Every structure is written in C-alpha cells, then in structure tokens.
Amino acid sequence: ILDGTDAGFHGSWSGTAVTGQWIYVKKAYENLTAGVPSSYASTSNGHIAVVGATDSTGTSNNCGAAAHYAAQTMSSPKTVDYYDGATAIETFFANVQAGTVKPLLIHIVDSVCSSNKMDATEYAKVNAAANAIATHVNRGGALFSNTNITATSTGSPNYGWLSTLFP
C-alpha cells in the first residue's frame, strides 16, 4: 500500500481499541500480512518493521504508537521492530538487501505526526534504499508507506525512492 495519508496523526488509542485512522493502520497490517505468500512468510522473521519511529504507548498523534497499538490489536498480533534515526534506517535496509533481515511487512511512517515521525535525514536514507525496498517486495514481503508526497515539515520528497524504481 502506497498512500498519501497521515494516519499516524489522525488516530488514537481509547485504552481498549484503536480509533480513527489507526483503525486503517491495523486493517492495512492485517490485509497486507495475510497476502504475503507462504513461501516468503515461512522464511521471514514474521515481524512488522516500522521505519522512522520508535515504540511508544502514546495515545494520539504519534506514528510509533499507531504501529504499536495497530499490531497489538490485529486478529493475529505481530511483533514490531522499530528502526529510527538515519543510521538505524541505513543499516536496516542494508540488511534487508543482504537478506539477513527479512520482515513480513515494512511500514514507512509519515512525517506529519507531532512526535515520533520521519524527518528529512531519515527520508534521505529511505530514498537511497530504493533497491532494498524493491528486493523486499520482489521476495514477497509486504510494504505499507503512508505519507504525503513532499512533507511540508521536512521539505523532503517522501516517495523519492519510487523514481529509482520507476524512472
């Protein structure tokens, strides 16, 4: 799923369930992981890799919390691994490319949340990882990227990696 929403910003945790756009994140996780071919799923680590945020139990407007609660409340909950900061993102994608890290789903978070979101330096690392993203998808892994095309908060092209894959 490649979309232009800022779902991390427009959802929340009620204390028992995700609400607002965090329901969308949960449904995206469920549908995408269900669609991963068994040949890849059986060799993956079975986790969701969240790129651009840290784990959080915040209750609203937090990209990491959206992932945390969405994964926790799935019909088959998943473990989430978080890759935040330019160095962690660069290392993660190098490991994906090498095949030493094989997540079930990669989720590239948005840059609109008030906290715990992507920044321009992180987007530069994601954009430089176009081949690793393609490798993940071509192996059978799921991809969920939700953010606007150019984040006003970063000035960075959030889908710059697409132009590498589709010039």
Side-chain angles (χ1 to χ4, degrees), residues 33-46:
T33 58
V36 171
S38 60
S39 59
Y40 179 80
S42 65
T43 64
S44 79
N45 65 13

Side-chain angles (χ1 to χ4, degrees), residues 94-155:
N95 290 334
V96 167
Q97 182 71 39
T100 56
V101 173
K102 295 172 84 176
L104 190 63
L105 164 70
I106 294 175
H107 177 189
I108 302 169
V109 302
D110 69 64
S111 62
V112 182
C113 291
S114 291
S115 63
N116 208 4
K117 61 185 178 182
M118 292 283 274
D119 65 29
T121 304
E122 292 169 322
Y123 273 118
K125 295 300 181 183
V126 171
N127 287 337
N131 290 327
I133 294 167
T135 296
H136 169 74
V137 172
N138 289 335
R139 284 180 181 143
L143 178 65
F144 178 38
S145 182
N146 64 291
T147 193
N148 50 336
I149 195 70
T150 302
T152 54
S153 62
T154 68

